[in-house]
Amino acid sequence: MKYRRVRGTEDIFGTESEKWQQIDNIFKHICGLYGYSQIQTPVIEHSELFRRSIGEATDIVEKEIFQFQDRSGRDLSLRPEATASIIRAYLENSLYQSPGVVKLYYSGAMFRAERPQKGRKREFHQFGVEAIGSYGPELDCETIMLANRLLRSIGIEGSIIELNTLGCRKDKKKIAGYLKDIIGKNIPDLCPKCSDRFERNILRVLDCKNQACRDVLGNLNVDIKKAVCPDCINHFQELKRCLDGMGFQYRENNFLVRGLDYYSRTVFEVIHTGLGAQNAVGAGGRYDNLVEDMGGRPEGAVGFAFGLERLSFIAANLPSCSRMLDVFIVLQDYKLVGEALKEADFLRAENISVDIDFQGRSVKSQMRLANDRRARFVLIIGQEEAQKGVCSLKDMSTGEQKSLTRKDVFKTIKGGVNC
Ligand code: HAM
């Protein structure tokens, strides 16, 4: 093989691609029900955007960004996530001028130079939402319920929403002090990464997957809420009341902190045991300082993103349209391909999917191809029949074959394709 795909990237095609499209379509429809509209932002942005929003001392910015200089020396990056880009677009296009909460959804490729493994790619895809313009915990509640609704809509059961609060910007120093005090004596028991995090971004110690570190934190009864201000605790209580009022199930996780610095107050993760080590199918939270930090007027905002690769992996029950093609046209003689093109053109204009063999195969081999392509009907065109204006139509699910006029062919096919 001369060329291979770049490490950590995938080719998505066939039924997997169909599945993604189906998820995308269902999600877009549901987001519409919640008042969201679509936004598409560029895959490349100025690197400074991500440094500023995600944070200098995060793994993403320190190690994972695909960063490069263009020919004019501009410092550009492939987006590692979309929230920063959406807020940039919100400000750059004055979207704040529209009344009410601005609700935007997006889907597309993101890039992070992580060590590739199952469920972790260097190019991956997210479907996400951002709601900008309210500090109210009710918006957090609606957003979390939307995440759950999206999962249900594609038949995913058994996911768990984990919830925590990180407090506001003022609380960050207090939280860091609280963690330094409580964990400080135990640094020798932590993994080398955590010793480093202790100095540079102490909150991330809580996120370590190393069992020894987890045990240390568990034994110390670490709970950053002890250092969070009363207003933020109240916001968190209100959110939980709101979720309880909706009969919504969630789990509090005192160790949930997230790997991006822009979060404040609510953070959440949607986990699914079917995913293995990379068990977060989606995640999000509030980021009440980001709009202002990026030069706008202060605005509360909340959002989340799902990873499509992970979604698709656990969406085993997605009701799928397993048939790929409505009609395959089989030619008794390749000279009749012109007739086939006319017929295909007519049917396609009626929203019926059609394919033809362009390789001059035998009838038997064309029938095999129709089978491979999971065609619902096979339309057989022969010289004599073409002259009489009729053709044979075979229903591939029943095996029944009839000689029909073109008009009747159309009626039968139209009646038989509803998937
Ligand atoms: P995140 O937790 O970095 O958050 O990513 C969200 C989801 O994207 C993850 O839960 C996971 O499903 C998927 N994902 C992340 N990295 C990879 C990877 N390397 N390979 C495969 N899937 C991956 C964000 O990106 C935030 N922007 C979410 C958000 C939106 N917060 C507020 N609004």
Side-chain angles (χ1 to χ4, degrees):
M1 186 73 61
K2 200 164 174 190
Y3 300 109
R4 291 189 170 273
R5 57 178 194 266
V6 172
R7 190 166 126 85
T9 66
E10 289 288 343
D11 302 310
I12 314 293
F13 54 91
T15 48
E16 184 65 5
S17 179
E18 271 182 47
K19 201 169 170 188
W20 283 34
Q21 253 182 55
Q22 226 182 324
I23 294 174
D24 209 52
N25 289 340
I26 296 172
F27 279 15
K28 283 176 178 165
H29 170 71
I30 290 176
C31 284
L33 302 178
Y34 283 70
Y36 282 81
S37 64
Q38 189 175 30
I39 184 164
Q40 296 183 55
T41 59
V43 167
I44 48 172
E45 298 273 2
H46 293 284
S47 302
E48 178 59 18
L49 174 73
F50 301 120
R51 277 201 292 271
R52 188 71 219 277
S53 55
I54 296 170
E56 299 270 6
T58 56
D59 284 355
I60 296 181
V61 168
E62 278 187 346
K63 297 183 261 184
E64 296 169 3
I65 291 207
F66 283 98
Q67 192 175 347
F68 58 97
Q69 283 202 341
D70 73 1
R71 287 166 198 268
S72 318
R74 278 180 284 251
D75 180 4
L76 304 178
S77 291
L78 297 182
R79 61 180 179 196
E81 60 105 50
T83 309
S85 307
I86 305 298
I87 299 304
R88 190 232 0 101
Y90 168 84
L91 293 171
E92 193 167 347
N93 300 292
S94 311
L95 300 184
Y96 47 82
Q97 282 175 353
S98 28
V101 170
V102 175
K103 291 176 161 182
L104 302 164
Y105 71 78
Y106 52 90
S107 66
M110 312 289 153
F111 304 85
R112 297 183 194 173
E114 296 189 78
R115 193 168 52 80
Q117 54 179 270
K118 183 169 168 272
R120 195 201 269 163
K121 300 282 168 236
R122 290 187 163 175
E123 182 189 33
F124 60 98
H125 299 76
Q126 285 186 342
F127 188 102
V129 308
E130 313 294 347
I132 311 148
S134 168
Y135 294 96
E138 301 75 22
L139 185 61
D140 307 38
C141 177
E142 188 191 72
T143 310
I144 291 170
M145 305 244 333
L146 168 60
N148 187 55
R149 175 87 191 273
L150 292 176
L151 291 181
R152 298 287 164 274
S153 73
I154 55 168
I156 293 177
E157 304 286 341
S159 56
I160 298 161
I161 305 238
E162 294 198 331
L163 212 56
N164 199 13
T165 182
L166 301 181
C168 54
R169 178 166 276 166
K170 283 185 285 166
D171 295 335
K172 291 221 154 136
K173 247 193 174 154
K174 243 175 98 189
I175 293 173
Y178 161 78
L179 288 175
K180 285 214 156 125
D181 282 350
I182 195 162
I183 303 172
K185 293 176 245 62
N186 297 74
I187 298 177
D189 303 329
L190 299 177
C191 72
K193 259 193 186 164
C194 278
S195 309
D196 183 50
R197 286 177 184 140
F198 186 85
E199 299 301 332
R200 292 154 42 74
N201 192 353
I202 190 158
L203 209 55
R204 299 287 297 156
V205 173
L206 299 192
D207 211 19
C208 185
K209 303 284 180 275
N210 185 312
Q211 195 52 46
C213 298
R214 296 206 143 222
D215 290 345
V216 170
L217 299 172
N219 293 337
L220 293 171
N221 247 333
V222 173
D223 182 1
I224 56 170
K225 288 198 285 303
K226 291 177 189 159
V228 167
C229 70
D231 275 357
C232 290
I233 291 293
N234 196 37
H235 189 276
F236 192 52
Q237 302 291 10
E238 284 295 320
L239 165 60
K240 288 192 291 176
R241 253 195 293 279
C242 203
L243 289 168
D244 292 340
M246 303 293 291
F248 189 84
Q249 305 262 315
Y250 55 89
R251 188 159 81 189
E252 272 189 71
N253 176 355
N254 294 343
F255 294 166
L256 180 63
V257 290
R258 312 279 298 120
L260 304 106
D261 278 356
Y262 52 61
Y263 289 112
S264 56
R265 293 192 162 170
T266 313
V267 284
F268 62 94
E269 245 172 37
V270 189
I271 58 171
H272 197 281
T273 46
L275 283 170
Q278 306 301 319
N279 67 354
V281 63
R286 207 162 242 295
Y287 44 96
D288 289 343
N289 304 307
L290 190 56
V291 178
E292 190 182 10
D293 285 352
M294 285 173 55
R297 285 216 318 258
E299 288 284 12
V302 57
F304 65 81
F306 282 122
L308 262 172
E309 287 78 1
R310 297 185 193 177
L311 270 179
S312 172
F313 184 74
I314 52 173
N317 298 328
L318 189 64
S320 84
C321 179
S322 65
R323 181 168 40 77
M324 287 175 76
L325 201 62
D326 295 326
V327 180
F328 192 90
I329 301 182
V330 166
L331 302 170
Q332 283 182 341
D333 185 334
Y334 193 68
K335 286 195 197 109
L336 296 164
V337 68
E339 287 296 318
L341 277 174
K342 268 191 234 155
E343 192 61 40
D345 194 46
F346 167 72
L347 292 172
R348 286 168 181 154
E350 296 293 334
N351 272 332
I352 292 168
S353 60
V354 187
D355 207 355
I356 310 167
D357 165 47
F358 289 100
Q359 296 173 316
R361 290 161 193 258
S362 69
V363 169
K364 199 170 158 197
S365 151
Q366 288 178 72
M367 288 303 289
R368 219 178 293 129
L369 195 56
N371 222 13
D372 284 352
R373 302 288 303 277
R374 289 183 272 138
R376 171 84 170 83
F377 293 99
V378 166
L379 187 64
I380 305 158
I381 301 181
Q383 185 72 54
E384 220 174 287
E385 289 160 306
Q387 273 161 6
K388 287 191 206 148
V390 293
C391 45
S392 297
L393 188 70
K394 181 169 181 177
D395 184 327
M396 297 296 272
S397 52
T398 61
E400 192 187 353
Q401 187 167 329
K402 288 184 210 157
S403 182
L404 298 168
T405 62
R406 269 186 70 176
K407 213 166 131 199
D408 286 340
V409 162
F410 172 64
K411 264 204 242 156
T412 313
I413 292 172
K414 200 74 185 164
V417 293
N418 48 19
C419 179

